[in-house]
Amino acid sequence: MRQAYWAVPAGKLEDQKPVFLYIFSAYVYSPQMAIAVRRLVQEFKRVSLWEVRKQWLEAGLDLKGLQHLPWRDAEEEAKAGRFRDEYSTKDLPFMAMTYTTTRGKTITDAWVEPAFLTLALPLLLGVKVVATSSPDPLYVSDQEFRETAKLDGPASFWNLLGLEESLRLQALELTLNRLLTAYSLHLENRSSPPDARWQALSGTVRDLATDVLNVFAIAQEGLRRDKRDPSREDVHRIWSYAHIWSKGDNRMQEKLKITQQLVEEYRKFYQVSPTESSHAILLPLSKALEVILTVPEHIDSEELILQGSGQLKDALDRRKAYNRPLLLNKSIDYTTQELSAIHTFMTTCVKELFEKQYKGDRALLQENRNRIKSGAEFAYRWLALQEKQAQQAAPEKAADGEAA
């Protein structure tokens, strides 16, 4: 009966894989409030996830940016609060009802939009939301459950994200940021505009759940597709994605930390312009990994470090002087300093990367080799940008100090 009021052709709604949203006002309970909430949600549903991503990025990956989405119609704005004193035939008393449909053919397509709405609506409207594929409400009142957002039987990508199906208010921000990170990476690198290719989202999420360094590997897929190098904005954005994705996961955070540490250590004795090729940027790391993967297995750690340091020093000697910052510093004994820096870097590669993270398993290291290099390349570009910004800010601070 309620489907008839929704003006859906007979037998057609099920074919569109609807996901129903049951929305409970957390403050004022009235049929008129249910109508108001449903109308607001209908406005919000018209905003595409492409636009959601754009607003989130423009706000510096701050969820407050979602408040500026163009989801309020000017005419509806003028009518705000002027709902007639009558019951809605499309809602249940004290509960707003709406549903989403998809043009795609998979369950993943069907759940992409409602998963976002279930997390975003409580933050934007102060409501509780239950999402389910059942046309019958799971709860009559929000008093029957304590959580703020509930997803009943979501698509598999939700579980791959490692997210709970029932969420309290304090967990929504972290969860929504994680969801938007996955959506944004997918839209940027694995879509074919205007087709978002949501049916492939599970693959994107599976890659991300496997290894935080896949954030960088996925980003490079898009850059290769577009045949371009990452811009400054790309580097900052992708680096931020990785930190959002790793938040709350000690293993992922440690992997990011080691990746950054490796690059910081080799930048002490080797630097090239961020505009150079990946091969040039990653030369020290590539050489270190090559040594670790090719030396005989009976070689112990200390010997491996020494062999790697020697081969890396030989490779460095074949580079231009301006690629070796310690060589350019005439105030120090560059030979001793350079050898010490190379040895420190090679020690981190062997002890922290190979033995600790990859358990001394060469096959596992080989399997992850490209991921490690993808992460290191973005780390290099990000550190180079940080250094450049610091250098540009230094004269300004000095000028301010003199003026004071």
Side-chain angles (χ1 to χ4, degrees), residues 308-324:
S309 298
Q311 292 190 35
L312 187 49
K313 179 65 168 63
D314 291 341
L316 205 60
D317 287 339
R318 294 191 289 271
R319 301 295 298 185
K320 301 291 186 182
Y322 54 75
N323 294 144
R324 301 163 67 179

Side-chain angles (χ1 to χ4, degrees), residues 5 22 63 85 91 97 114-115 121 167 173 182 202 231 237 252 283 292 363:
Y5 284 112
Y22 299 98
L63 293 177
D85 188 18
D91 303 295
M97 298 174 64
L121 291 176
L167 298 155
E173 186 171 335
S202 291
S231 66
R237 185 179 71 256
M252 288 189 177
L283 177 67
I292 294 171

Side-chain angles (χ1 to χ4, degrees), residues 125-370:
L125 300 179
V127 295
K128 288 186 173 184
V129 182
V130 177
T132 176
S133 56
S134 170
D136 299 318
L138 303 181
Y139 305 99
V140 175
S141 164
D142 68 321
Q143 300 299 314
E144 296 182 19
F145 61 99
R146 295 182 178 180
E147 298 83 357
T148 302
K150 293 179 74 72
L151 295 92
D152 175 46
S156 61
F157 76 83
W158 187 264
N159 293 325
L160 289 170
L161 282 165
L163 302 176
E164 298 291 334
E165 294 184 10
S166 298
L167 298 155
R168 296 289 185 97
L169 181 62
Q170 59 268 28
L172 289 184
E173 186 171 335
L174 177 63
T175 305
L176 184 53
N177 272 320
R178 193 172 175 84
L179 185 70
L180 287 176
T181 297
Y183 283 7
S184 297
L185 275 166
H186 181 82
L187 288 173
E188 291 166 17
N189 304 290
R190 291 183 171 175
S191 66
S192 181
D195 181 8
R197 297 189 67 249
W198 290 122
Q199 67 273 16
L201 177 65
S202 291
T204 301
V205 173
R206 187 177 294 107
D207 289 341
L208 293 172
T210 300
D211 194 325
V212 66
L213 298 183
N214 276 330
V215 169
F216 309 109
I218 291 171
Q220 286 192 330
E221 286 180 24
L223 292 169
R224 286 194 296 270
R225 178 197 63 197
D226 299 338
K227 297 180 180 179
R228 66 182 183 88
D229 292 326
S231 66
R232 180 177 61 183
E233 292 74 18
D234 291 329
V235 172
H236 280 294
R237 185 179 71 256
I238 301 304
W239 192 253
S240 297
Y241 285 167
H243 280 273
I244 291 173
W245 188 257
S246 64
K247 192 171 183 179
D249 188 313
N250 293 333
R251 182 178 59 85
M252 288 189 177
Q253 289 179 330
E254 182 64 19
K255 185 164 284 191
L256 274 183
K257 178 183 174 183
I258 292 299
T259 301
Q260 182 174 335
Q261 180 183 338
L262 286 168
V263 177
E264 287 174 339
E265 288 180 355
Y266 83 65
R267 275 178 56 81
K268 291 178 181 178
F269 61 84
Y270 174 82
Q271 292 185 18
V272 296
S273 169
T275 59
E276 296 236 13
S277 67
S278 299
H279 173 76
I281 289 173
L282 296 170
L283 177 67
L285 181 61
S286 298
K287 177 58 68 174
L289 292 175
E290 179 186 334
V291 171
I292 294 171
L293 290 168
T294 56
V295 298
E297 292 190 13
H298 68 270
I299 299 294
D300 63 26
S301 297
E302 294 305 319
E303 181 63 26
L304 179 56
I305 292 169
L306 290 175
Q307 284 197 26
S309 298
Q311 292 190 35
L312 187 49
K313 179 65 168 63
D314 291 341
L316 205 60
D317 287 339
R318 294 191 289 271
R319 301 295 298 185
K320 301 291 186 182
Y322 54 75
N323 294 144
R324 301 163 67 179
L326 295 174
L327 179 60
L328 298 177
N329 189 347
K330 303 302 182 182
S331 65
I332 62 172
D333 179 2
Y334 80 86
T335 303
T336 303
Q337 295 285 342
E338 193 173 70
L339 285 172
S340 176
I342 292 172
H343 187 273
T344 299
F345 166 69
M346 197 66 207
T347 300
T348 303
C349 285
V350 173
K351 297 289 187 180
E352 297 296 327
L353 183 67
F354 176 50
E355 294 183 347
K356 186 175 179 180
Q357 282 200 359
Y358 293 101
K359 313 301 181 185
D361 187 333
R362 284 179 169 81
L364 187 60
L365 181 64
Q366 176 63 40
E367 180 184 334
N368 288 274
R369 189 178 189 175
N370 288 336

